[in-house]
Amino acid sequence: WMAVVAQNEYYFMARQNGVYPTWKLGMLGSLGMYFAAASQLPGVQEAMLPLTGTVCIVYLLLRQEPSTPPTTMTDVSTTFMGIWYLGYMPSFWIRLNQMGPLPASSVLSLFVPAAARAAWPLAAVEASALGQSLFTQGAIVQWWTMISIVSADIAAYFGGKRWGKTKLISVSPNKTWEGLISGIAGCVGMMVVGASLMRWPVPLLSGALYGVMCAVMALIGDLTVSLLKRSAKVKDTGDLLPGHGGLLDRIDSFLLVPAPAYFFVKHALPALA
């Protein structure tokens, strides 16, 4: 639901600047991405993006609204950007979450000794049908990946504040190379620990590769929103969170990570085994 709210902020920014995407169909298309990902049916998952795109382009071609100017190339590209950035890419969190069921109690075994698990309140939940649907291999990766992204953000902030001198990119003047390196280090450190706990093959290597990938993709997601805000000439994407801007400002680092994370776990980890 957060990505849907953020997508509404994205389309609102566009309309404030004279761009008229088909925001209703765009948001419905993103919801379709989430439902397709949850369906676990590969055919549905692969068909949803081209199907959504086709419906949107047909609507834009035929759109006749008195309050809306004729459709432009910018309207089309803005519509598709919203679906891809806030629908298709985040939907891989769902795909990742659903990867691989775990035997009962194996989740707790990552953190709690066997002798202590019998008295652990979550043990009964984990062994239940609900627990089996929630505690999957992918869910553990998802949780740890999100923690690692937060670690990257924190490390980048403090590293940039302490050592930052070299500007990284013009769309975000406060970003520095020193902050980026600090963020990567924080993410890699957290993921190496996670890779060891999750018993990934060659945890030092796989955790480091995964951490670098997540940190870089999180930064690209952040910079994408900075670019959009600069183009729209706004400071924040919205005012949903007083003092913190819009929801898109808060989740931008999480939007582009899940797709490469999913393919890394699905293809790269088996290759390293």
Side-chain angles (χ1 to χ4, degrees):
W1 69 267
M2 289 189 290
V4 173
V5 174
Q7 188 174 5
N8 183 58
E9 293 176 346
Y10 164 74
Y11 284 140
F12 182 76
M13 280 196 302
R15 294 182 74 87
Q16 290 292 98
N17 285 270
V19 180
Y20 296 91
T22 171
W23 64 274
K24 293 178 182 178
L25 275 181
M27 293 175 69
L28 284 174
S30 292
L31 287 173
M33 301 294 173
Y34 307 142
F35 285 119
S39 73
Q40 301 188 54
L41 299 173
V44 175
Q45 292 174 350
E46 300 307 320
M48 186 55 66
L49 183 60
L51 177 62
T52 300
T54 302
V55 171
C56 287
I57 194 66
V58 169
Y59 173 81
L60 287 166
L61 286 170
L62 302 177
R63 179 171 66 179
Q64 293 183 353
E65 300 174 6
S67 60
T68 303
T71 298
T72 66
M73 183 184 297
T74 306
D75 298 337
V76 175
S77 59
T78 301
T79 299
F80 277 81
M81 176 65 177
I83 295 170
W84 177 82
Y85 184 51
L86 291 151
Y88 179 71
M89 294 297 279
S91 73
F92 278 89
W93 282 124
I94 301 173
R95 296 198 199 187
L96 180 61
N97 183 279
Q98 294 176 334
M99 289 181 67
L102 286 172
S105 299
S106 62
V107 175
L108 294 180
S109 69
L110 298 178
F111 310 102
V112 183
R117 286 204 306 273
W120 193 262
L122 284 178
V125 175
E126 186 187 12
S128 68
L130 175 62
Q132 290 298 294
S133 67
L134 293 176
F135 294 109
T136 64
Q137 294 177 18
I140 300 301
V141 176
Q142 176 186 355
W143 299 338
W144 204 272
T145 300
M146 290 181 171
I147 293 171
S148 298
I149 294 171
V150 173
S151 299
D153 284 343
I154 294 172
Y157 173 78
F158 285 106
K161 191 173 182 179
R162 175 64 178 84
W163 298 294
K165 293 181 180 179
T166 311
K167 298 299 182 183
L168 178 63
I169 192 168
S170 60
V171 298
S172 186
N174 293 329
K175 294 282 193 302
T176 64
W177 279 102
E178 292 81 2
L180 170 60
I181 294 170
S182 299
I184 291 175
C187 194
V188 166
M190 186 62 69
M191 272 314 309
V192 167
V193 173
S196 300
L197 289 172
M198 292 182 285
R199 302 180 180 89
W200 282 8
V202 198
L204 185 60
L205 175 62
S206 58
L209 291 174
Y210 189 82
V212 171
M213 179 193 71
C214 289
V216 171
M217 293 305 296
L219 174 66
I220 295 173
D222 187 323
L223 293 176
T224 300
V225 171
S226 296
L227 177 63
L228 294 173
K229 290 192 293 186
R230 171 168 286 201
S231 176
K233 298 180 176 62
V234 297
K235 182 178 182 295
D236 299 314
T237 60
D239 55 5
L240 181 65
L241 305 172
H244 296 277
L247 191 58
L248 182 53
D249 290 305
R250 303 275 65 83
I251 68 171
D252 51 9
S253 297
F254 297 88
L255 296 174
L256 299 185
V257 173
Y262 171 83
F263 289 112
F264 185 95
V265 173
K266 186 174 182 179
H267 298 293
L269 283 186
L272 291 172

